[in-house]
Amino acid sequence: MTMVDGKVGNSATGTKSTSRCYICGATTKDFNKIDVQKQIIPEAIEFGLSVLHARIRLFESILHLAYMLPVKKYRERKTEAEKSIELEKKREIQKRFRQETGLLVDILKANFGNTNDDNTSRRFFEDPILASDITGISYDVIFRIKVILEAISSGHIINSEKYDKYALDTARLYVQLYSWHPMSPTMHKILIHGAVITKKRFIAHTAAFRRGRRSTK
Ligand SMILES: [Zn+2]
């Protein structure tokens, strides 16, 4: 049960809204308050993280933040002029990705869903310099998220203390730069609970390792 996406995690723990974190119960308005101690629901950690799901969601979080960057309003009422500025920014970002990388970014498909898939999100994080240049989002934020995604998908045992520090520093940097825009639920999960989840995995790895050693004796 370590590889389910946010939606399954939410339904399995009885959390209704997908903008609510199923691990600590925090909602969007709490996501940027990174120093508030959060009560963790122990069973929720069992769900772990799907790296593929996380990569696509984080990619989308950065895109949505980028669209709003010129106006810097999250859920506050926007004027028609502000709405068109955001739309213009979105078009400009899509155009540059298409021209410079050939990627179709955040475009609705005829049947269902959109073009934000595994390949698109992987390519986005492969080149943080270009991703930052096109979106206008901090290179450091994109680069740090890329490093975190690589660490959790590496299959290696992760030092959860180091992970925690790196992820928290990333969360602080995000809040410092984008206090007007809450982190997305996935970003919150990866940056705030990632260490707890990786520790869980670490324990599982160690137990398997010990079992393996015993059986070869
Ligand atoms: Zn949480």
Side-chain angles (χ1 to χ4, degrees), residues 21-26 31 38 188-189 192-193:
C21 170
Y22 65 84
I23 296 172
C24 71
F31 288 158
K38 292 167 181 87
H188 161 85
K189 233 176 291 167
I192 305 299
H193 305 305

Side-chain angles (χ1 to χ4, degrees), residues 159-194:
N159 179 323
S160 51
E161 259 171 56
K162 285 185 180 171
Y163 179 100
D164 205 16
K165 185 178 183 313
Y166 193 82
L168 268 177
D169 284 347
T170 306
R172 283 186 219 290
L173 178 64
Y174 178 95
V175 172
Q176 188 192 324
L177 295 171
Y178 311 111
S179 58
W180 54 274
H181 191 294
M183 281 181 231
S184 68
T186 301
M187 199 181 288
H188 161 85
K189 233 176 291 167
I190 291 274
L191 299 183
I192 305 299
H193 305 305

Side-chain angles (χ1 to χ4, degrees), residues 133-210:
D133 188 49
I134 294 179
T135 58
I137 300 302
S138 154
Y139 166 79
D140 290 312
V141 168
I142 299 175
F143 176 78
R144 282 175 160 267
I145 291 173
K146 168 195 161 79
V147 169
I148 287 170
L149 285 168
E150 279 174 10
I152 60 180
S153 63
S154 68
H156 291 291
I157 291 167
I158 294 169
N159 179 323
S160 51
E161 259 171 56
K162 285 185 180 171
Y163 179 100
D164 205 16
K165 185 178 183 313
Y166 193 82
L168 268 177
D169 284 347
T170 306
R172 283 186 219 290
L173 178 64
Y174 178 95
V175 172
Q176 188 192 324
L177 295 171
Y178 311 111
S179 58
W180 54 274
H181 191 294
M183 281 181 231
S184 68
T186 301
M187 199 181 288
H188 161 85
K189 233 176 291 167
I190 291 274
L191 299 183
I192 305 299
H193 305 305
V196 182
I197 296 163
T198 56
K199 194 181 266 174
K200 188 90 190 171
R201 256 186 80 196
F202 172 70
I203 292 164
H205 274 287
T206 316
F209 178 68
R210 290 211 185 100

Side-chain angles (χ1 to χ4, degrees), residues 59 63 67 90-107 114-127 130-131 134:
F59 161 60
L63 282 181
Y67 303 156
K90 178 178 179 176
R91 297 255 159 81
E92 180 199 314
I93 289 171
Q94 287 174 325
K95 191 176 164 197
R96 282 199 60 192
F97 272 113
R98 198 173 56 241
Q99 287 176 342
E100 294 169 44
T101 67
L103 289 176
L104 298 178
V105 161
D106 212 14
I107 293 166
N114 58 32
T115 56
N116 304 335
D117 58 11
D118 185 26
N119 176 55
T120 315
S121 60
R122 197 181 292 274
R123 296 262 311 271
F124 178 85
F125 286 109
E126 260 169 23
D127 192 346
L130 185 67
I134 294 179

